Amino acid sequence: MQEAVQTKASRAKKTRSLTSLDWRRTILVTLPFMGALTFWQAYDGLIPLMLKNTFGLGDTATGFFMALDNILALFMLPLTGYLSDKLDTKWGRRTPFIVVGSLIAALLIPMIAIANTWKNLPLFMAVLVLTLLALSTYRAPSVALMPDVTPRPVRSKADAFNSLMAAVGGVFILVAISVLVPAVDNPDYRPVYFVISGMVILTTIIFVVCFNEPKEVAAMHRESAELGIPEEEIDASDEGGKERETNPAIRRSLLCVLVCVFLYFMSQNAISSGFSRYADAVWGMQGGSYAMVQTAATLAALVAYMPMASVACHIGRKRTTYIGLVFMVLGCVLISLSTTFSPIVYLWTILFGIGTATVSLTIYPMIVELASTQTTGRYTGYYYTASTAAQVITPILSGAVMQFVGYAQLYLYGATFAALAIIPVLFVRHGDTLTMGDVRERQASWEAEHTEKGE
């Protein structure tokens, strides 16, 4: 009897441990995304300054060129997501895209700053487009890899940690910008871009050496089975395979989540791509000095990711999304009222950063919950189609608002779209969290079944 009790306790302890993240696996799977995000952090802040100050483009034209990456991504991300679903190699489905795309990007990234130094606009645009294409080849596959190797109950936590690691890279680059970019009219950006290239190479090397995709995918399926999750539910929601894709209710929820994604990025990307120009025009910040304010927002996001992921696990992703969007609206409105820079701006920026972090860690897992085992990459492509469509439009539209209405209106623009993003979430009925309560019930069922079999 005592042995049976000990065996039961041991099995319960083991199944409880499966609801925690495998930290080694999670850290490694986030590295490619972290490397890519170091580039995007500098891209949003420094490329507009290059276009405006080096090449003399207006805000509307700068917004158009800032949308080029998203025009490319609009086609590339769904394509690479779909192709990575279909790929079958001994290295896995996603790894080949990650390795090839990241290494090509790392070689091209420094050339952007070199072309800016030479004041050669054709070379600048050519290298920029090629770099964006290289990054687009592995962005969707690297994000799709997270749900491939993470059991459903902890995907929100894994996605939060993915975002946290990206924020760590973002903080590193923001600090590098503030240190390496002097507050002069036409600074030399080459040191920063060599640092970014080094980060991309380093994260890729660690990923390749330490991560075995097929082995980790198999481990995720084994752990999910031990949690009592049926095979057809391991990769997505309760309905399976083709039925999931043709179910009208689920398709409506998918559409509503994608509309929320679109509106969220209309707000978030307008702020990130316009902030350096806003800080220069409204607050008089030159060179890389704006980066310290963005660092505050990024650090706030970094701190908020895991606690907000825990909130999502207990109250659901849908309710947590509401919280994040309300924080974004409040942050934008309060910043817009600060017509001169003062320390209180850091507090409002932190509020906005927590809001963006909260929404970012809920909306992608909601979409993954609606996918099947063979469509994770494609649904990741849908997510990026919605987000990049917004990021095609919003740099141009927000640039026009700043140029023709006034720089001070940028944050009211952001608040408007964040508020609108609340509406489609009201109609989402599928894709919410498999909560810890659900997991405990399934663990109990699994334990009872295997106890009866004498296992």
Side-chain angles (χ1 to χ4, degrees):
M1 171 68 78
Q2 183 178 2
E3 182 178 345
V5 171
Q6 290 176 341
T7 302
K8 182 176 180 179
S10 175
R11 184 180 297 117
K13 181 178 180 181
K14 178 182 178 183
T15 53
R16 281 197 300 271
S17 70
L18 293 174
T19 62
S20 301
L21 288 174
D22 182 320
W23 288 106
R24 177 188 175 277
R25 181 195 302 165
T26 304
I27 290 171
L28 290 173
V29 82
T30 61
L31 288 177
F33 190 64
M34 176 186 178
L37 262 291
T38 59
F39 171 82
W40 295 113
Q41 184 69 70
Y43 180 88
D44 284 341
L46 298 182
I47 296 297
L49 295 178
M50 294 180 190
L51 291 170
K52 182 178 180 180
N53 298 332
T54 302
F55 300 110
L57 299 183
D59 287 299
T60 304
T62 296
F64 172 77
F65 283 106
M66 288 299 291
L68 278 179
D69 67 314
N70 299 299
I71 294 172
L72 293 173
L74 195 60
F75 302 100
M76 289 294 295
L77 296 182
L79 176 62
T80 55
Y82 173 80
L83 291 176
S84 69
D85 280 339
K86 301 300 180 183
L87 190 66
D88 183 15
T89 74
K90 65 179 181 180
W91 299 285
R93 296 188 295 174
R94 323 293 184 188
T95 299
F97 287 90
I98 292 170
V99 173
V100 174
S102 61
L103 293 180
I104 293 174
L107 292 174
L108 291 169
I109 284 169
M111 288 299 300
I112 296 172
I114 292 171
N116 177 76
T117 301
W118 293 349
K119 298 184 179 180
N120 188 326
L121 183 58
L123 177 62
F124 179 87
M125 295 308 303
V127 174
L128 184 61
V129 169
L130 290 174
T131 303
L132 296 172
L133 283 171
L135 289 164
S136 295
T137 61
Y138 79 96
R139 189 171 176 181
S142 68
V143 174
L145 186 57
M146 182 276 290
D148 284 349
V149 299
T150 307
R152 284 181 58 210
V154 290
R155 281 181 184 163
S156 281
K157 288 185 178 180
D159 192 56
F161 190 79
N162 191 27
S163 299
L164 186 151
M165 289 289 284
V168 170
V171 169
F172 176 78
I173 292 302
L174 285 170
V175 171
I177 291 171
S178 65
V179 172
L180 298 175
V181 180
V184 297
D185 289 339
N186 289 294
D188 184 357
Y189 298 105
R190 286 175 295 182
V192 169
Y193 277 83
F194 277 112
V195 169
I196 296 169
S197 179
M199 282 288 291
V200 172
I201 292 172
L202 178 63
T203 53
T204 302
I205 290 174
I206 296 173
F207 173 79
V208 171
V209 171
C210 301
F211 189 85
N212 185 315
E213 182 184 335
K215 178 181 175 181
E216 301 297 349
V217 170
M220 184 277 285
H221 279 254
R222 183 174 61 253
E223 292 163 8
S224 297
E226 292 180 9
L227 282 170
I229 302 174
E231 180 67 26
E232 66 272 12
E233 294 184 30
I234 284 176
D235 292 277
S237 61
D238 292 339
E239 294 80 7
K242 293 288 185 182
E243 295 157 353
R244 181 183 301 112
E245 295 190 39
T246 58
N247 185 316
I250 292 178
R251 293 178 72 175
R252 281 194 296 272
S253 289
L254 174 62
L255 179 61
C256 289
V257 177
L258 291 174
V259 172
C260 175
V261 169
F262 176 84
L263 294 170
Y264 163 76
F265 277 98
M266 285 291 290
S267 173
Q268 185 272 340
N269 186 253
I271 303 302
S272 64
S273 64
F275 182 77
S276 59
R277 288 169 288 161
Y278 178 92
D280 185 8
V282 177
W283 296 331
M285 293 182 167
Q286 289 187 315
S289 57
Y290 77 90
M292 294 310 297
V293 182
Q294 279 198 314
T295 300
T298 307
L299 286 173
L302 191 153
V303 172
Y305 280 127
M306 300 310 294
M308 296 310 294
S310 296
V311 171
C313 286
H314 288 89
I315 69 172
R317 298 185 185 115
K318 183 175 176 178
R319 292 176 181 175
T320 309
T321 302
Y322 291 141
I323 295 172
L325 290 171
V326 169
F327 281 6
M328 288 178 66
V329 172
L330 288 175
C332 283
V333 170
L334 291 169
I335 292 171
S336 72
L337 297 176
S338 304
T339 54
T340 58
F341 183 79
S342 66
I344 195 68
V345 170
Y346 283 102
L347 180 60
W348 309 147
T349 305
I350 286 170
L351 183 63
F352 180 77
I354 293 173
T356 58
T358 301
V359 179
S360 71
L361 65 88
T362 58
I363 50 179
Y364 174 66
M366 289 175 76
I367 290 175
V368 172
E369 284 287 314
L370 301 171
S372 67
T373 183
Q374 297 301 316
T375 60
T376 304
R378 178 150 57 90
Y379 276 48
T380 300
Y382 291 160
Y383 168 81
Y384 277 117
T385 297
S387 63
T388 53
Q391 293 173 95
V392 167
I393 298 169
T394 203
I396 303 171
L397 185 57
S398 62
V401 168
M402 286 190 290
Q403 183 173 348
F404 298 113
V405 182
Y407 282 91
Q409 307 307 313
L410 175 65
Y411 275 95
L412 290 179
Y413 175 101
T416 299
F417 282 102
L420 289 173
I422 296 173
I423 297 173
V425 183
L426 297 170
F427 302 97
V428 174
R429 297 291 181 268
H430 298 268
D432 213 337
T433 311
L434 182 66
T435 65
M436 291 299 107
D438 297 329
V439 172
R440 282 191 289 270
E441 289 181 9
R442 294 191 180 201
Q443 284 179 313
S445 176
W446 183 88
E447 181 182 325
E449 178 184 348
H450 287 261
T451 300
E452 289 176 2
K453 293 179 180 179
E455 297 180 3

